Amino acid sequence: MALKVLSALDAAKIQFYHFKAIIIAGMGLFTDAYDLFCIPPIMKLIGRIYYEDAADESDKYEIPAAVSSAMIGIALLGTVTGKLIFGYLGDRIGRRRVYGISLMLMVFSSIGCGFSFCRKRTCVLTSLAFFRFLLGVGIGGDYPLSATIMSEYANKRTRGSFIAVVFSMQGYGILMSSTVTMVVCKIFDHASKHVRVDKTPQVADLAWRIILVLGAVPAGMTWYWRMMMPETARYTALVERNVQQAAKDMEKVLDVSLAQIAEDSELPPINPPRYPLFSKQFFRHHGRDLFACAASWFLVDIVFYSSNLFQYQISNDYVPDKKTVNAYIEAYTIAKHQAIIAICSAIPGYWAAVYFIDRIGRVRIQMMGFFFMAVGLFAIGVPYYSYWDKDNKVGFGFMFLYGLTFFFSNFGPNTTTFIVPAELFPTRFRSTCHGISGATGKVGAIIGSVGFMWSYHNMKEKGFPEALGMTRTLEILGVVCLVGIGVTYFFSRETMGRSLEENENEIDDPGSEFCFLGYFMANDPRTHSSPSEVEIASASA
C-alpha cells in the first residue's frame, strides 16, 4: 500500500517550491564549478607574482608542475572526503540537518582561500591548499545531499529534469567565474595603467584573492533558505517512521491540504529486521546498481576533468605568449576562452540534458554521450601532430571538436551519473550510495586532472618530463569512453517515469534480471525478498 504523502509527491504539479528547491540545491554545484574554473587564471596570476625570480628564463612566471598538480588534486581529495562523510550523515541523521553545514563550510573556506595567510610564497600556497581541501569537503558534501533532496521532492514525471536543472548550475558557475575573473582583471589592469609585461605589481596579489572570495557570495545567500527547508517527506516517513510529520511538512511547501495526504488511520510502529549497508543482502539487492553508478562516474570524470583542467594548455593558439602581455591580460584571456566554451558548449549541453532526460531516458543519453565523446577525442587525437598541431596552429576545427566533446559530456554521462544514484537506492541508503558513487568519480577526476596533466607532454617543458604526448593521451581518453558505453549497456538500468519506491521494489526481488548476483541466488532456499520501505512504513496491524 502506497503512502498518500508519497503518492502526492509523485503526482504533484510543478509549482513554486520546486523552483525554489532547485535554486537552493543548485548553489553547491554552482560553487563547485566556480572554484574549478577560476583556478587556471588564478594560477597564472600566482605564477606572475611569486615566480618572477626563476633562474631559467623559460621557467619564469611558471608554477612548478608538482605545485600546480598538488593544488588541483588537494581540492578533489577534499571532495572525495566530503562525499563519503556527508553522504553517510545524510542517511544517518537526516538530509536537512547536515545540508546547511556543507554550505557554510563552502562559504567559509572560499573566504579562507582569499585570505590565505602571509605574503611569502610557501606560506601562501600552503594555506591556499589547506582551505581548498576544506572547500572540497564542503563541495563534496553538497553533491549527495542536493541530488537526494531534489529527487525526493520531485514528481516522478519530471524528476530527471529537476535534478538535471540543479546540475546545470555548474554551467552558470563556469560562466560566473570567468566573468568575475575578466571584470576583476580589467579593473586592476586599468587602475594600474596597463602595467609593464616584465613587472607584476604587488597589488595583483589582491586580484586573485578577490576572485576567490566572491565565489562565496551566491552560496551564502541561500543559507537561510536551506535552514528553513523541512526534512524530505520520504526520509521522515520511511526512515524516521513519522508519516504524520511528513504529511505536515509537505502541507507547508506543496499546494495540497493535510486532509489529502494524511493517512486515514494511525500506522502502528513496527521494527522489522533490515539489512545493513554493505551486508550480503545489500550487495544482493543493490550491488549491481552501485557498481554501475560508481564505475560510470569514475570513467566520465577521468575524461571530463582532464579536458577541463588542461583546456587552456591545448588552446595555446588563442592565448597570447606570456612575454607579450602582462599578468592581468594573460588571466583575462584564459577566462574569456573558458567563458566562450561555457556559452557555446557547456550550458547548451546541460540544457539539452534537461529537455531530453525524461523523454529518451538516462541510459540512452549516457551511452550516446560516451559515444560522441569518444568520436571527438579520437578525431582530435589521432591526427593531432600531423594535422591539428601543424605549424603550432590548433585551428577552428580543433576547437569545434573539443567543444562538441564538452557538449556531449554534459548532454550525456556527466549529467546522468549525478541523477541516477539519487533514484535507484532505498531512502535509508540513497545519500550514502550517491556519496560513494560520487567519491569514486572524483578518484577518476584526480587521475584525469593530475595524471593526464603529466601525460600529454611529448617533450620536456614547463617542468613536466617527456611523457605519452597528446595523441596517445587523447586516444586513451577515447578508449575510456568506449569502456563507459560497455558499463552502461551491461549494468545500468533505466529509471525514467518510475517513482523512487517503484525502483526499489523492482530490485527487491533477488531473482530479478536487474539484481547483481541474482542469478547465483535464484535457486538458493536461503534467499528471500525483504519488504520494501514503503511496505514497512504502511503496514497495518
Side-chain angles (χ1 to χ4, degrees):
M1 181 180 69
L3 297 174
K4 288 184 177 180
V5 65
L6 303 189
S7 298
L9 281 170
D10 286 334
K13 296 180 179 179
I14 298 174
Q15 47 196 278
F16 172 74
Y17 190 77
H18 287 127
F19 296 103
K20 184 177 178 181
I22 286 170
I23 298 299
I24 296 171
M27 280 302 104
L29 283 303
F30 181 98
T31 303
D32 174 28
Y34 185 100
D35 172 70
L36 174 66
F37 279 84
C38 74
I39 283 300
I42 282 176
M43 295 303 280
K44 289 296 184 182
L45 287 173
I46 291 175
R48 291 276 193 153
I49 298 165
Y50 294 104
Y51 289 89
E52 282 188 324
D53 55 352
D56 190 339
E57 185 66 24
S58 64
D59 292 334
K60 194 173 182 180
Y61 307 137
E62 292 291 340
I63 297 176
V67 175
S68 59
S69 298
M71 202 60 64
I72 291 167
I74 195 72
L76 293 173
L77 185 61
T79 306
V80 172
T81 305
K83 285 174 181 287
L84 294 174
I85 293 175
F86 281 92
Y88 173 77
L89 292 176
D91 286 334
R92 186 73 174 180
I93 63 177
R95 291 80 160 107
R96 178 184 177 276
R97 290 184 178 93
V98 294
Y99 204 26
I101 297 174
S102 68
L103 184 74
M104 293 313 299
L105 187 56
M106 283 189 285
V107 171
F108 286 126
S109 53
S110 292
I111 296 172
C113 286
F115 286 93
S116 296
F117 307 121
C118 33
R119 296 289 298 278
K120 292 184 178 181
R121 181 169 68 194
T122 302
C123 186
V124 167
L125 292 174
T126 301
S127 59
L128 179 60
F130 172 75
F131 284 113
R132 277 182 60 76
F133 176 81
L134 292 182
L135 178 62
V137 173
I139 289 171
D142 204 82
Y143 268 71
L145 296 174
S146 292
T148 299
I149 286 172
M150 198 66 244
S151 73
E152 293 180 351
Y153 271 123
N155 64 60
K156 67 180 181 180
R157 185 176 60 85
T158 59
R159 183 181 61 239
S161 295
F162 282 165
I163 306 175
V165 172
V166 170
F167 195 66
S168 74
M169 296 299 287
Q170 279 193 337
Y172 297 102
I174 297 170
L175 187 59
M176 180 59 72
S177 73
S178 301
T179 303
V180 168
T181 300
M182 288 190 291
V183 170
V184 170
C185 287
K186 275 296 185 181
I187 290 173
F188 273 76
D189 185 47
H190 180 76
S192 63
K193 298 181 180 179
H194 310 292
V195 65
R196 287 163 39 197
V197 172
D198 60 344
K199 186 63 177 177
T200 303
Q202 287 299 310
V203 72
D205 195 49
L206 182 62
W208 66 266
R209 297 173 185 272
I210 290 174
I211 295 168
L212 286 172
V213 169
L214 289 176
V217 174
M221 291 172 61
T222 64
W223 182 80
Y224 174 79
W225 282 356
R226 285 201 179 192
M227 293 298 94
M228 295 298 101
M229 287 183 74
E231 183 57 83
T232 68
R234 284 183 163 87
Y235 186 86
T236 303
L238 303 180
V239 179
E240 295 181 340
R241 308 292 178 78
N242 192 339
V243 179
Q244 284 72 24
Q245 184 61 48
K248 292 177 182 178
D249 288 340
M250 289 305 97
E251 183 192 24
K252 297 175 184 177
V253 298
L254 297 179
D255 185 19
V256 62
S257 67
L258 183 62
Q260 292 176 283
I261 57 178
E263 298 300 317
D264 297 329
S265 59
E266 186 172 343
L267 304 176
I270 55 175
N271 293 291
R274 308 170 79 185
Y275 54 86
L277 186 68
F278 299 141
S279 64
K280 289 183 179 179
Q281 280 184 298
F282 171 84
F283 283 111
R284 186 163 65 242
H285 293 304
H286 310 292
R288 173 177 176 163
D289 287 331
L290 186 59
F291 170 78
C293 293
S296 298
W297 207 328
F298 174 80
L299 294 169
V300 71
D301 271 10
I302 290 177
V303 180
F304 185 80
Y305 279 79
S306 64
S307 299
N308 287 345
L309 290 170
F310 64 74
Q311 67 169 277
Y312 66 93
Q313 296 284 1
I314 62 176
S315 59
N316 286 331
D317 190 44
Y318 299 95
V319 179
D321 188 273
K322 62 186 178 183
K323 298 177 182 178
T324 63
V325 295
N326 63 34
Y328 301 125
I329 299 303
E330 184 181 16
Y332 172 91
T333 307
I334 292 170
K336 182 177 72 173
H337 169 71
Q338 292 182 160
I340 293 171
I341 292 292
I343 294 171
C344 298
S345 179
I347 293 176
Y350 286 119
W351 282 97
V354 171
Y355 182 80
F356 287 106
I357 194 75
D358 286 315
R359 288 174 168 83
I360 62 178
R362 287 72 160 145
V363 171
R364 290 179 180 176
I365 288 178
Q366 186 162 303
M367 292 181 65
M368 176 193 66
F370 270 129
F371 174 77
F372 283 106
M373 288 168 67
V375 169
L377 289 166
F378 284 130
I380 294 171
V382 173
Y384 181 79
Y385 291 111
S386 62
Y387 183 75
W388 300 116
D389 195 43
K390 193 174 183 180
D391 298 324
N392 294 318
K393 292 292 183 181
V394 169
F396 173 78
F398 177 93
M399 296 308 299
F400 173 78
L401 287 172
Y402 175 73
L404 198 66
T405 303
F406 204 27
F407 173 86
F408 278 105
S409 67
N410 293 322
F411 181 32
N414 191 43
T415 298
T416 55
T417 51
F418 179 78
I419 295 173
V420 174
E423 300 179 307
L424 280 177
F425 302 99
T427 307
R428 66 186 186 277
F429 298 140
R430 186 168 293 131
S431 178
T432 301
C433 290
H434 196 288
I436 293 169
S437 301
T440 307
K442 285 302 178 280
V443 172
I446 294 173
I447 295 172
S449 59
V450 178
F452 285 100
M453 178 184 289
W454 289 75
S455 74
Y456 76 88
H457 302 274
N458 66 335
M459 64 181 74
K460 290 184 179 181
E461 57 180 347
K462 300 180 180 180
F464 293 93
E466 180 180 354
L468 297 175
M470 189 64 77
T471 291
R472 193 69 58 82
T473 297
L474 293 174
E475 287 174 345
I476 292 172
L477 292 173
V479 171
V480 169
C481 292
L482 296 180
V483 174
I485 294 174
V487 169
T488 305
Y489 181 79
F490 288 107
F491 295 100
S492 298
R493 62 190 185 89
E494 188 56 68
T495 57
M496 179 179 65
R498 298 177 178 138
S499 72
L500 300 179
E501 289 68 43
E502 286 171 339
N503 286 328
E504 177 194 351
N505 290 339
E506 186 173 65
I507 59 174
D508 260 339
D509 176 13
S512 166
E513 62 175 311
F514 298 110
C515 181
F516 189 58
L517 299 182
Y519 58 93
F520 286 122
M521 302 178 179
N523 298 316
D524 189 339
R526 295 170 298 177
T527 299
H528 59 85
S529 176
S530 301
S532 72
E533 289 174 336
V534 177
E535 292 169 338
I536 290 170
S538 60
S540 57

